[in-house]
Amino acid sequence: MKDLQAVKYYSAMEAANEVVSQWLEARPDNKELNAVADALLQSVFYTNQLEMDYKSVGYAVKDAKRIANQLRAELDKKPSEAEVKFMQMTDGDENDAINAVL
């Protein structure tokens, strides 16, 4: 849908630019017409910058989600607090000695 809107926008701007260009050929000294041509050009540049910013944000969000998923996967690999306590309680020389007797 966004691509269709962009095509419509750029088509409309191209049509407007064509009309203004033809008018400028006929009346190159018309200050108001030059101002309109300049405004159309600035509008296209501004819209183009907004589209690039939008895409950059999209890439940043995708990258952040990828990093979050990697961190989540790393956390899933780490033992829980209960597992760490159990390992601490069962590791060591005295536990090995007790286990050897049992």
Side-chain angles (χ1 to χ4, degrees):
M1 187 62 165
K2 197 146 193 71
D3 291 336
L4 178 60
Q5 289 173 333
V7 168
K8 285 181 179 181
Y9 169 77
Y10 285 111
S11 296
M13 291 306 282
E14 186 176 341
N17 186 45
E18 183 67 30
V19 170
V20 170
S21 293
Q22 289 173 0
W23 285 352
L24 278 174
E25 285 177 16
R27 300 184 187 271
D29 295 335
N30 188 325
K31 291 180 184 178
E32 293 164 335
L33 200 50
N34 278 305
V36 169
D38 201 38
L40 284 172
L41 184 61
Q42 293 303 319
S43 177
V44 170
F45 286 156
Y46 178 71
T47 303
N48 193 21
Q49 184 63 48
L50 288 176
E51 287 178 346
M52 289 190 310
D53 291 347
Y54 177 79
K55 287 181 181 179
S56 294
V57 168
Y59 294 138
V61 168
K62 284 181 185 178
D63 198 38
K65 285 182 179 179
R66 180 187 54 78
I67 291 169
N69 287 336
Q70 286 176 340
L71 291 173
R72 191 175 297 120
E74 286 180 31
L75 286 174
D76 288 344
K77 292 178 187 176
K78 291 186 178 183
S80 68
E81 277 187 53
E83 291 171 323
V84 169
K85 285 182 181 179
F86 179 77
M87 287 187 283
Q88 289 171 346
M89 289 174 23
T90 58
D91 284 346
D93 295 334
E94 40 195 54
N95 285 319
D96 291 339
I98 293 171
N99 287 333
V101 172
L102 295 175

